[in-house]
Amino acid sequence: MHIYKLGDRLENLSRSEFLKSANAVFYGDAPAESIRIDGGDLSGPWTLGTWAVERGEFDLTYAMSEYCTILEGRVIVAQGDRQAELAAGDSFFTPKGETVRWQVIEPVKKSFVIIP
């Protein structure tokens, strides 16, 4: 069992280029991002961890389904004509294959679980 409390080990993230490798479409420069994998790996059947991203805007098409909870910051996520502003404590689920626009208003940290 792994137990994480809000704020635990969030400083131990490694620089990442996940968005570029996932072929995200950027509006402006690609924002800096970091990741920490706590279980599984990004090429496996499931992954869990923490991801952080600086201010920026991008479209991301999800190769797998993801459930995440915002730990810090503020972001507007949009799909088609639906959008929501999310902040610490808010969660959302994105099914595999959906494209979501992220407009990061304040740098975001989120915990995530990715499944096929």
Side-chain angles (χ1 to χ4, degrees), residues 24-96:
V25 176
F26 300 101
Y27 299 91
D29 293 333
E33 57 179 309
S34 303
I35 196 166
R36 184 188 74 224
I37 303 298
D38 294 319
D41 63 59
L42 291 173
S43 63
W46 61 272
T47 309
L48 61 95
T50 302
W51 181 73
V53 66
E54 297 295 321
R55 288 183 179 94
E57 187 171 355
F58 53 90
D59 291 343
L60 179 62
T61 300
Y62 284 72
M64 293 191 202
S65 298
E66 177 185 54
Y67 176 82
C68 71
T69 299
I70 305 297
L71 303 173
E72 296 177 5
R74 284 187 321 134
V75 61
I76 296 171
V77 290
Q79 182 190 39
D81 60 353
R82 297 182 336 211
Q83 73 174 31
E85 184 172 329
L86 305 174
D90 294 331
S91 299
F92 70 101
F93 176 78
T94 306
K96 178 181 179 177

